[in-house]
Amino acid sequence: MEIRRNEGRKMLYNRVKGAMAPALFSESCGAGIEPGGDTSLQVHTLNNEIHKNITRISIILSHQVRAYAVSFELKILLFVHKLNSQISSQMRFYVYVNRCGFSLLMYGFGSKKALIEDFASTTLTEYDVLVINGYLQSINLKQMLIALAELLWDQLKIQRRTPSGNSSKVQQPFNSRSVDDLLAFLDGPQVEGDECFVCVVIHNIDGPGLRDSETQQYLARMAACSHICVVASIDHVNAPLLWDKKMVHTQFNWCWYHVPTFAPYKVEATFYPLILTHGGTTQSVKTASIVLQSLTPNAQNVLYGCVNLFIIPGMPVNNLYTICRERFLVSSQVTLNSHLTEFKDHELVKIRRHSDGQDCLYIPLATEALEKLILEIT
């Protein structure tokens, strides 16, 4: 029995010791629950020691907290300033890499807009620079290529090395040219040597206005032109998934630089409310188009018929089956139901119960989005 009693005391002692702060059981405290003694007396002594240790804690006043916060903020500012100075000291090297045929891609936490614009204004003074704000929701790619062609054409006129045989073709208005013709002009042998260059600065090449596959393909072809050099930035963690191996190593020919500026996204963030409130149409059309590409041709025809019918929402399922069968889109109700199930899974079609108890279908898109979707389908 005595052995069991001692074991119980040891277990109690270990529990109390583990629950209390380690400092309370240090030799400097001189207090602790020891087995074999009066437990109530030892607990009272321990409580006194705890009270003494609490009274020794110095209370930090509010002005001291503010002073610590200011000093910590100053340390952060000094660190960021030192980091930006190190990045700025490499700008001449960036120009050298750019002239060697590489495109510069800046990544890292923080807005890189001010850094890249400072780079363009201080070290790219010998070239014409075109700035593209990729964080905008919509960007006209052809207008961008037209502006590049006009800048290059101005340089060609200054150099006065335009071949006389091509003068009539070159003087053709760029607005009337196709995108392929503009890219051919930017990559054409109009100049002997490498005197004529146009630098394209693209803030957020992974932005919402440039994120689709077709635009990235055209940007890659533009970057591969002999008279174009590219300086771009990315912020999305999955941005490299926009490009394949050929685009990365052959067309863009990226040279990656980690430039964490820790600067706030003041300019870029101002456009996100617009994207959230007014970007639903474009985003919904893009999503619907992507889903359409995964559907069978027959299902696409059914959805095309649904879009034309649902300009006025609220089509009963039975009426839809009759119309689709008359147009030879489906052969049975089962086929139509399978298509509608797929449409509902992708949220292209939704069901509402009408006041008369019938299930009515409608497409949850605005009229503008429906018109764009029709153009995408056709």
Side-chain angles (χ1 to χ4, degrees), residues 233-301:
S233 66
I234 58 174
D235 283 294
H236 200 285
V237 66
N238 293 324
L241 298 178
L242 295 172
W243 312 304
D244 55 27
K245 185 177 180 180
K246 177 183 177 182
M247 295 168 67
V248 171
H249 298 293
T250 305
Q251 294 178 316
F252 280 120
N253 200 17
W254 290 124
C255 191
W256 301 67
Y257 288 100
H258 185 219
V259 288
T261 62
F262 296 98
Y265 294 92
K266 291 182 179 179
V267 178
E268 298 91 332
T270 56
F271 295 93
Y272 276 94
L274 296 177
I275 293 174
L276 294 176
T277 55
H278 301 291
T281 298
T282 304
Q283 188 64 30
S284 299
V285 172
K286 285 184 177 180
T287 304
S289 300
I290 293 172
V291 173
L292 280 174
Q293 295 175 5
S294 64
L295 299 177
T296 62
N298 192 23
Q300 293 178 4
N301 292 331

Side-chain angles (χ1 to χ4, degrees), residues 209-230:
L210 302 173
R211 199 172 290 172
D212 59 285
S213 177
E214 183 180 5
T215 301
Q216 290 294 327
Q217 290 286 348
Y218 280 122
L219 290 177
R221 292 176 59 187
M222 177 201 69
C225 293
S226 56
H227 303 294
I228 301 296
C229 57
V230 176

